[in-house]
Amino acid sequence: MSKKRRREKLPIDSQLVEVYEDLANLDEKIRLKAAYTLLQNFVGEGNLPADQFNEILRRLIRGLCSGRKAARLGFSVALTEFLTACFGWKRQSESHLPDVQYVIEMLKAQAHATGNASGQEERDHQFGRLFGADSILKSGIIAEDENAIEVYNQVLDIVFDLAKQKPWLQEDCGFVLCNAVQRLRDRDTMYAHMIINKLISNQLGDTPDGVAIWIVTKSSLPAIKLPHGIWRHEDPLDRKEVSRLARILVKANASDFEFKSAQNGVWSTKLHFAWETVISSLRDHSVEGSRENGYSNKRISFANFWENCVENTLYSPSSSEERKYWGFLLVQRVIKDFPVDMLLNVFTPNFMRCLMNQLSIRDRYLHRAADKSLKGLLARARSQPLEKGPILRSLVIGPHGGVNFDKLTKTKTIETLLALMTDASFTEVKIVFDSLIGRPGTQDEKEAAHSRQIAADQLICLLRSLQVEQLAGDFLSEDDTHSHPVLGILSMFAKYSFFDLESKNGTDSHPTPPISQASRNMFRTRLSSSLAHLLGKSPDPTQIAYALVKYIHDQVEGEAFGKLLLQADENVQDVFRSAQRNLDWANKTLRSATEDDSRSHLFKSIQLLYCLTFLQVYNNEADAVNILQELDDLFPALKKGKELGEESAAMVEMLKSFVARRSQLFRRLAEQVFTAFAPTINKKGLQSLLIVLDARESLAGQAEMFEQEEPMEDASEASDVVDIDGSNAGSITEDESGNEDIISSPESENEPDNNYDDMAKLDAELAAITKTRPGIEDVDATDTSSSDEDMDDEQMEKLDRQLETFFRESKKITSKKIEKKDAKETIVNFKCRVLDLLKIYVKQQHANILATCLVLPILRAIQTTQSPLVSDKACDVIKDYVKLCKGDGLPSLPQPESIFTLLEAVHVEAQKESSNAHANACSQASLLLVKVLAAHDRGCLRRVVRIYGKTQEVALFDTGCKVRTSFFTDWQNWWSTARK
């Protein structure tokens, strides 16, 4: 049994004790301050006594063996600076301090566990020995020692012994040796040879540490001659060593004779420093064949290294999750500061597959690592605007990426990248999407169409993410109009919508597979959606639309995209040329007009109308050419600045045709044009709008409004149902394409089913055919017997014919029901859009006496409609009219008789049985007309009193009069206020 050694009693220096305590502090600043205090107060000018030197040295080495807090970090810094200072003063003053050999012996003695030390204590002492050796190497005290070679060799033995005996310390030992090599100079090559020779003799050459030490040695000491036969051309990064390098870096056995203890059997979440050494060396010498720093021209490229050492090893389908985690750490390192041409080599097939798989499900082990890599990529795109295009190309194009990357990964990566795009980086983005649409990477037409649709939707997202500042500017002054993000996206949609790209000379530019008609329709829809968005957001959408039309015309003339799909005869060509001349004249006038020009807004609207009509002609829309012709007929009067007479009705009819479409683009177009033309619209034009409010919300009303023949009940008219259904089959929501959803009435689902009797009759017929009980009777019946077994073949054939006839009739009734519902929704939608136009008219022309003719038709619409939407919008028009007609906003009357007649008609309307909304609107309309009459001549109120009295008399004695009491209460409140 060993005898316990008695602790020697030494004098205690409280300040020194405090310094030792602070050296273990977790705060780096406190540790550095303590090290400075140690050197300043106790080492001083080099007059440190030998016994105090020994005691401080012993305490510092013992501190390296402590696992308390950050003791190793603090004591290692203090020891390094302590040795540097003491031996520096020793050289200058020839003091009698011990030599380096004494320090090494002290390290061996103090950093060695004695007695029955636990496993943790042994590990602490082994770490202390390694940190002590590192401090000696960092201090540089060996170089001036007279036995430098022998001393250096002893320190290396300490490090290599730890690396051999303790595999879990091997990486740390290698890191210490790498740092030691980096501190050597050209005159110190002997020390580098000692490290390399010991590396080979200890069979650590084929380890990640050995690779890193070798590369650092060649990099720090280019002139050094390293042993032959270890690596080809003395370079671990030689092309022919790539397989061996891959095995070493992933810590697989590179040789059957490899020293077994050299392998680290413990997986670490930290990436081995050898990876950083290798990829940094490849980054610094990225040009293949470089001979700088002594390297041969056989060195591997970064792409070759990544494919063999990362893609096929760490990201191999059979790789473990731990190796893939290392792969993500490497990706994050490359993303940080590697050149973009090297970064693009990271997006390899296995990596992309692993990335998308891990991102798709949050519960997967590597989801956070993959997400961190993706966030790093986006951070780099934000800091380096010109690199957004190449990064986007890598994610969405080619066999590695995918256009549906966001959908597969359940992220918004592509959307975020597109939102970060600037005008400078858009050129690359346009090339990416043009390539993606033209050659989606598949020959299957359905897959290609799907990829093209996703690409188009992403371009829509990019357009919607643009700021208002990016939607403004003089687009026509650009040398290359489609280099601007807005015009670039619109021109791309136009290219794939209106041109036969296969007709262009040269097959290299042909889309593969060819653009289908369904895809063309999709691109046309996306173009309409884009223009609808710009109409609502851009400060000057007219200029954008004109630039797009001009771009299309230029491409048609130059046949840059092949032939135009539109086949126009000579008459259509004449209309085109005339419309183009008028459009160019309007644009020239606008560009030379001042901001105060009253006609500027009018010409902007007519120019926008021309541009969008041109696009409809290219879409082969019905009546688009006729609209162009009508615009040409209207243009001379507009050009001369004349007021529109009969032409205003034609303009209103044109705008009605726009709002009748289920398109947000044409609704906004109609509103913008109507706003400009509202002052020129006469009574005939307003009556054209008001007719819509009288339309019945049914199939008959739809037939009257759109000049269709009302479908008959017999089967010969079944094709009409298909036409109506087919016209709506391609409509999609506003969010996707700019087309509006149909405005459905909530009560339409609750209204009585007019086909109930027909369905009951069919139910009875079915029961008679099958000889069963109809409806609920069959459910409640207890007799479940069947007579099918008693039927012969002839009876079965007869039953089949009867069932076929039955189901045909049933389908006809169902189709009829759907047709009625669609017709009602169409009329309701049309009325709502017309009311939007009337609301614009009221806001602009409320002081115009002509606006009073709107009152009665709107009241009738509120009373007759079955849709709350129509009723609410109509009531809003009345409310706005009443609110605006105050003071100077009241219209002036040439003569009051027409208003008296209108007031009497409103009172008759108020006597009808209706809703609260209708009653309130009648009261407001009546008081509005009273205000107009009172403003004209206060004496008119005498007749107004008689009209109200007559209405009150009717309400008292006629039981059929349903006028509300509030009608008279509102009047009484008004006159009691007005007489004051």
Side-chain angles (χ1 to χ4, degrees):
M1 186 173 178
S2 61
K3 200 171 186 179
K4 190 173 181 180
R5 186 175 60 183
R6 178 177 296 179
R7 184 184 299 271
E8 297 180 7
K9 293 184 178 181
L10 298 174
I12 299 175
D13 189 328
S14 59
Q15 186 179 7
L16 197 57
V17 171
E18 185 178 351
V19 168
Y20 293 145
E21 180 66 26
D22 289 345
L23 286 176
N25 197 286
L26 295 175
D27 191 338
E28 182 182 10
K29 293 182 179 179
I30 296 178
R31 295 198 304 268
L32 294 177
K33 183 179 180 181
Y36 177 79
T37 302
L38 177 67
L39 298 178
Q40 189 74 17
N41 297 345
F42 297 96
V43 176
E45 299 296 329
N47 53 358
L48 183 67
D51 57 344
Q52 191 173 4
F53 169 84
N54 295 337
E55 178 58 21
I56 294 177
L57 178 63
R58 185 186 69 82
R59 290 296 301 271
L60 291 177
I61 294 175
R62 295 295 294 175
L64 296 176
C65 302
S66 172
R68 181 172 60 92
K69 297 182 180 180
R72 292 193 186 97
L73 296 177
F75 278 88
S76 64
V77 172
L79 179 58
T80 302
E81 298 301 326
F82 176 76
L83 294 176
T84 302
C86 289
F87 282 84
W89 287 113
K90 179 183 178 182
R91 289 191 296 270
Q92 295 179 16
S93 60
E94 298 183 359
S95 66
H96 299 285
L97 292 176
D99 56 8
V100 180
Q101 183 65 42
Y102 177 81
V103 176
I104 295 174
E105 294 300 330
M106 177 72 79
L107 174 63
K108 291 179 180 179
Q110 296 297 324
H112 179 72
T114 59
N116 296 325
S118 64
Q120 181 61 47
E121 289 176 339
E122 288 186 1
R123 286 191 291 272
D124 288 340
H125 283 80
Q126 288 157 359
F127 269 119
R129 202 178 316 157
L130 178 61
F131 273 81
D134 186 37
S135 296
I136 295 174
L137 293 172
K138 284 181 179 178
S139 65
I141 61 177
I142 298 178
E144 301 298 330
D145 194 269
E146 54 187 20
N147 299 317
I149 300 295
E150 181 181 351
V151 172
Y152 200 85
N153 189 61
Q154 291 182 35
V155 176
L156 292 182
D157 286 340
I158 294 174
V159 178
F160 277 101
D161 286 344
L162 288 171
K164 288 175 59 179
Q165 296 171 8
K166 303 298 178 183
W168 50 273
L169 267 178
Q170 180 180 307
E171 181 179 348
D172 299 293
C173 294
F175 187 74
V176 169
L177 294 172
C178 268
N179 288 338
V181 172
Q182 288 178 332
R183 288 189 292 270
L184 296 178
R185 300 178 179 84
D186 290 338
R187 59 185 176 84
D188 298 328
T189 55
M190 67 183 82
Y191 299 122
H193 278 292
M194 291 173 62
I195 294 175
I196 295 297
N197 291 334
K198 283 188 175 291
L199 195 69
I200 297 171
S201 63
N202 285 282
Q203 299 181 348
L204 295 175
D206 278 3
T207 63
D209 314 278
V211 171
I213 293 170
W214 193 288
I215 292 174
V216 170
T217 302
K218 286 286 292 182
S219 177
S220 302
L221 306 169
I224 193 172
K225 300 296 183 181
L226 296 178
H228 296 284
I230 307 300
W231 298 97
R232 291 178 182 270
H233 302 99
E234 290 75 52
D235 187 7
L237 301 181
D238 188 85
R239 293 178 185 175
K240 294 185 178 181
E241 297 285 8
V242 64
S243 299
R244 180 183 172 194
L245 178 65
R247 290 195 301 271
I248 292 173
L249 288 177
V250 296
K251 299 188 179 181
N253 289 333
S255 170
D256 294 338
F257 304 102
E258 187 174 359
F259 187 67
K260 194 166 186 179
S261 67
Q263 293 306 313
N264 188 345
V266 180
W267 179 78
S268 173
T269 58
K270 185 179 67 173
L271 196 64
H272 197 287
F273 77 92
W275 287 100
E276 171 67 24
T277 303
V278 171
I279 62 176
S280 297
S281 181
L282 291 174
R283 178 191 58 189
D284 297 338
H285 306 278
S286 58
V287 180
E288 189 174 349
S290 174
R291 291 181 176 273
E292 296 179 5
N293 292 340
Y295 292 114
S296 70
N297 58 357
K298 302 294 184 179
R299 203 172 210 211
I300 59 173
S301 64
F302 181 80
N304 191 9
F305 162 79
W306 191 269
E307 179 182 0
N308 288 276
C309 299
V310 181
E311 170 73 359
N312 296 333
T313 54
L314 299 183
Y315 284 114
S316 171
S318 59
S319 292
S320 64
E321 300 291 345
E322 291 79 8
R323 286 189 176 181
K324 290 177 181 177
Y325 178 77
W326 282 347
F328 280 119
L329 293 181
L330 272 174
V331 170
Q332 294 165 21
R333 176 64 188 88
V334 173
I335 288 174
K336 187 176 180 181
D337 57 9
F338 272 55
V340 66
D341 57 334
M342 300 179 72
L343 173 61
L344 299 182
N345 294 317
V346 167
F347 301 98
T348 47
N350 289 341
F351 164 68
M352 291 298 295
R353 180 170 56 252
C354 181
L355 177 69
M356 290 190 283
N357 287 340
Q358 296 298 330
L359 288 171
S360 61
I361 300 177
R362 297 183 64 87
D363 294 336
R364 286 185 172 161
Y365 293 126
L366 301 179
H367 175 82
R368 293 180 64 183
D371 185 58
K372 187 175 181 180
S373 301
L374 205 58
K375 289 179 178 177
L377 200 63
L378 292 175
R380 174 155 182 170
R382 290 187 182 94
S383 61
Q384 302 292 335
L386 296 180
E387 295 181 3
K388 297 170 187 173
I391 292 174
L392 180 68
R393 175 186 290 273
S394 300
L395 291 176
V396 302
I397 287 187
H400 315 329
V403 65
N404 56 347
F405 183 87
D406 281 357
K407 182 178 180 181
L408 292 176
T409 59
K410 300 177 183 178
T411 63
K412 294 185 177 181
T413 306
I414 305 302
E415 183 179 340
T416 303
L417 276 174
L418 292 176
L420 295 173
M421 293 298 165
T422 60
D423 294 358
S425 59
F426 178 74
T427 302
E428 178 69 20
V429 176
K430 186 175 186 298
I431 295 173
V432 169
F433 277 95
D434 201 12
S435 173
L436 189 61
I437 295 173
R439 299 179 183 272
T442 178
Q443 293 298 323
D444 184 80
E445 292 186 0
K446 290 185 178 179
E447 292 182 5
H450 181 63
S451 296
R452 286 163 176 162
Q453 181 174 350
I454 294 175
D457 290 341
Q458 289 172 342
L459 287 173
I460 289 287
C461 290
L462 171 57
L463 182 68
R464 290 175 178 174
S465 68
L466 296 177
Q467 302 298 319
V468 176
E469 296 78 12
Q470 295 175 282
L471 301 178
D474 189 3
F475 297 95
L476 298 176
S477 66
E478 299 286 343
D479 295 332
D480 188 6
T481 56
H482 56 278
S483 65
H484 191 280
V486 174
L487 294 181
I489 294 172
L490 297 180
S491 64
M492 199 182 309
F493 286 154
K495 171 183 175 181
Y496 293 103
S497 297
F498 306 136
F499 292 92
D500 182 11
L501 302 177
E502 287 75 18
S503 65
K504 184 181 178 182
N505 295 330
T507 58
D508 293 340
S509 59
H510 293 177
T512 307
I515 305 294
S516 63
Q517 186 59 42
S519 293
R520 284 198 181 95
N521 293 337
M522 180 272 297
F523 284 117
R524 291 173 181 177
T525 303
R526 298 303 184 269
L527 179 60
S528 296
S529 177
S530 302
L531 292 170
H533 172 76
L534 294 172
L535 276 178
K537 297 293 183 181
S538 175
D540 190 4
T542 302
Q543 195 177 40
I544 297 176
Y546 178 75
L548 175 63
V549 171
K550 185 176 183 300
Y551 172 79
I552 295 174
H553 288 171
D554 292 342
Q555 305 311 310
V556 171
E557 293 178 0
E559 295 189 355
F561 298 143
K563 297 180 180 179
L564 195 66
L565 288 170
L566 176 68
Q567 300 297 325
D569 56 22
E570 189 60 32
N571 293 331
V572 174
Q573 293 290 349
D574 291 340
V575 174
F576 257 52
R577 285 189 285 269
S578 175
Q580 184 63 48
R581 286 194 298 270
N582 293 336
L583 180 60
D584 292 339
W585 186 90
N587 179 71
K588 183 178 179 180
T589 303
L590 277 175
R591 294 178 69 83
S592 60
T594 61
E595 295 182 0
D596 299 333
D597 193 337
S598 59
R599 294 196 304 162
S600 177
H601 187 54
L602 185 65
F603 278 114
K604 280 186 178 181
S605 298
I606 199 69
Q607 186 181 14
L608 184 61
L609 193 56
Y610 260 120
C611 291
L612 296 188
T613 306
F614 266 119
L615 297 179
Q616 292 308 299
V617 173
Y618 293 139
N619 274 343
N620 284 318
E621 293 283 344
D623 297 332
V625 176
N626 293 335
I627 293 176
L628 272 184
Q629 183 64 59
E630 292 174 4
L631 286 173
D632 284 345
D633 295 340
L634 292 173
F635 197 78
L638 295 172
K639 188 175 181 180
K640 295 177 182 179
K642 295 181 178 179
E643 293 291 332
L644 293 180
E646 296 297 326
E647 295 88 349
S648 69
M651 176 63 71
V652 170
E653 287 296 329
M654 189 186 307
L655 298 181
K656 280 173 58 180
S657 69
F658 289 157
V659 297
R661 304 182 186 185
R662 296 166 181 176
S663 168
Q664 187 186 50
L665 170 63
F666 284 94
R667 177 173 68 86
R668 289 183 175 176
L669 171 64
E671 290 176 357
Q672 184 163 336
V673 174
F674 189 82
T675 301
F677 280 90
T680 66
I681 294 177
N682 57 15
K683 187 174 182 179
K684 185 176 180 180
L686 286 180
Q687 290 297 332
S688 178
L689 286 176
L690 296 173
I691 289 174
V692 177
L693 301 182
D694 293 333
R696 291 174 290 172
E697 297 168 1
S698 62
L699 272 173
Q702 179 180 256
E704 293 173 2
M705 189 56 55
F706 298 103
E707 299 180 357
Q708 299 174 348
E709 293 184 4
E710 184 175 357
M712 304 299 291
E713 297 294 332
D714 59 305
S716 62
E717 298 295 335
S719 60
D720 289 345
V721 177
V722 176
D723 290 340
I724 295 174
D725 291 343
S727 65
N728 300 333
S731 63
I732 59 179
T733 62
E734 179 180 343
D735 289 339
E736 294 177 353
S737 70
N739 292 345
E740 295 177 324
D741 290 331
I742 304 305
I743 299 176
S744 302
S745 302
E747 83 286 351
S748 63
E749 299 179 359
N750 301 323
E751 63 183 6
D753 189 354
N754 298 327
N755 297 289
Y756 178 78
D757 295 337
D758 293 336
M759 295 300 296
K761 182 179 179 181
L762 285 174
D763 192 19
E765 290 180 5
L766 178 62
I769 293 172
T770 58
K771 297 180 180 180
T772 59
R773 301 174 183 85
I776 193 64
E777 297 178 14
D778 191 51
V779 176
D780 298 335
T782 58
D783 181 13
T784 58
S785 60
S786 175
S787 60
D788 290 350
E789 297 178 356
D790 300 333
M791 298 179 67
D792 55 21
D793 292 344
E794 183 177 352
Q795 290 173 324
M796 290 292 291
E797 292 178 0
K798 182 179 179 181
L799 178 62
D800 288 342
R801 290 194 297 271
Q802 290 175 330
L803 289 174
E804 183 180 353
T805 303
F806 167 78
F807 287 119
R808 183 167 55 249
E809 293 298 322
S810 176
K811 183 178 180 181
K812 192 183 305 181
I813 292 177
T814 304
S815 299
K816 190 71 175 178
K817 183 178 180 181
I818 295 174
E819 184 180 357
K820 289 180 179 179
K821 181 180 178 181
D822 290 344
K824 180 176 181 178
E825 290 178 347
T826 299
I827 296 299
V828 168
N829 180 73
F830 195 13
K831 287 184 177 182
C832 289
R833 301 287 78 84
V834 168
L835 286 169
D836 289 338
L837 297 182
L838 293 178
K839 192 172 184 178
I840 293 173
Y841 185 84
V842 165
K843 286 182 178 180
Q844 281 200 351
Q845 300 297 313
H846 56 273
N848 189 340
I849 191 61
L850 191 60
T852 57
C853 70
L854 305 178
V855 172
L856 194 58
I858 292 177
L859 293 178
R860 288 172 180 167
I862 298 173
Q863 198 267 337
T864 58
T865 184
Q866 298 178 359
S867 170
L869 292 172
V870 175
S871 177
D872 291 344
K873 281 184 174 289
C875 289
D876 288 342
V877 175
I878 296 295
K879 289 178 182 178
D880 288 349
Y881 196 5
V882 173
K883 187 184 299 182
L884 293 169
C885 286
K886 294 179 181 180
D888 295 337
L890 286 168
S892 57
L893 295 178
Q895 54 87 21
E897 190 60 35
S898 60
I899 303 300
F900 279 120
T901 303
L902 182 58
L903 179 62
E904 292 172 350
V906 169
H907 278 238
V908 172
E909 186 69 24
Q911 297 173 22
K912 298 178 181 179
E913 184 175 4
S914 61
S915 62
N916 292 333
H918 177 261
N920 186 45
C922 288
S923 178
Q924 288 182 323
S926 177
L927 293 177
L928 170 65
L929 298 177
V930 170
K931 292 178 185 178
V932 173
L933 289 170
H936 173 70
D937 184 359
R938 196 168 180 81
C940 294
L941 293 178
R942 299 180 182 277
R943 184 173 174 181
V944 170
V945 171
R946 292 194 296 272
I947 293 174
Y948 266 95
K950 183 179 179 181
T951 303
Q952 194 167 11
E953 180 183 356
V954 173
L956 180 62
F957 295 103
D958 188 354
T959 57
C961 178
K962 303 298 181 182
V963 65
R964 305 292 178 92
T965 306
S966 59
F967 186 81
F968 302 106
T969 304
D970 293 342
W971 155 248
Q972 190 171 10
N973 292 335
W974 181 86
W975 68 254
S976 63
T977 304
R979 69 178 181 176
K980 297 177 182 179

